[in-house]
Amino acid sequence: MKYKIGNIKKTEYKEVVDIWEASVRATHHFLKEEDIQYFKPLILNIYLDAVELKCVKNEEGQITGFLGVADQNLEMLFIHPDYRGKQIGKILLNYSIEKMNVKKVDVNEQNEQAVGFYKKCGFETKSRSELDSSGKPYPTLHMVLKN
């Protein structure tokens, strides 16, 4: 299947948040329900506007995965659970590195699949924070792209 990367319109933010939530529920088993409910409006109302967004859509025009980049940092990369394992994450990550100059990513240490994915794609851990960027007790790895 050939995937095309495109922009995300503000009118698609609700769809993006739904993908974020489905992805988080499938991969972030360490998060509490109240954390998901805490982040959901922040993503919709603040975080999506703070990054450059790109997505991959299926044949029906539905978003299957998306990323957000700011200051050479991959701030978000989420794939709908139905589309995991279909290379969408790798395609989006490679695009962010080649076209958006991504050099760094922060990833929840407890999201072992994501940590493994980024290591496999050439990132290495530079430092670690005990708390996430919201001050919640979810250790975060600060990873950088190896030269």
Side-chain angles (χ1 to χ4, degrees):
M1 187 179 282
K2 179 93 170 94
Y3 296 111
K4 195 173 132 240
I5 294 172
N7 295 317
I8 295 174
K9 298 190 253 351
K10 218 167 172 58
T11 55
E12 296 172 305
Y13 279 13
K14 169 87 173 72
E15 186 180 356
V16 168
V17 172
D18 290 346
I19 291 164
W20 170 83
E21 183 174 1
S23 177
V24 163
R25 290 187 183 282
T27 58
H28 292 57
H29 304 293
F30 53 91
L31 284 180
K32 298 182 188 107
E33 180 63 29
E34 58 259 32
D35 292 321
I36 293 172
Q37 297 310 318
Y38 168 83
F39 285 114
K40 206 169 158 179
L42 289 175
I43 289 169
L44 180 62
N45 299 314
I46 297 171
Y47 297 166
L48 294 179
D49 284 330
V51 295
E52 184 178 350
L53 291 165
K54 298 290 179 185
C55 71
V56 167
K57 294 183 179 180
N58 64 16
E59 296 80 21
E60 291 83 46
Q62 298 164 310
I63 297 171
T64 57
F66 73 94
L67 63 73
V69 173
D71 300 322
Q72 298 182 318
N73 197 56
L74 182 63
E75 298 288 348
M76 48 185 88
L77 174 61
F78 293 95
I79 310 304
H80 190 284
D82 294 348
Y83 291 87
R84 286 179 58 208
K86 299 186 188 313
Q87 301 294 307
I88 295 171
K90 190 156 181 45
I91 289 164
L92 283 167
L93 179 62
N94 287 341
Y95 180 90
S96 76
I97 292 167
E98 293 164 17
K99 306 280 191 222
M100 302 171 84
N101 208 23
V102 161
K103 306 263 190 251
K104 317 172 274 198
V105 63
D106 292 339
V107 62
N108 291 109
E109 184 177 59
Q110 293 146 298
N111 187 350
E112 294 171 9
Q113 285 178 323
V115 172
F117 169 75
Y118 291 118
K119 282 183 178 173
K120 191 173 146 191
C121 292
F123 285 81
E124 62 187 355
T125 302
K126 268 290 191 234
S127 62
R128 178 184 183 273
S129 301
E130 270 304 312
L131 305 174
D132 70 10
S133 59
S134 296
K136 293 191 174 283
Y138 299 113
T140 301
L141 299 178
H142 309 287
M143 302 180 82
V144 296
L145 190 60
K146 290 185 262 186
N147 291 338

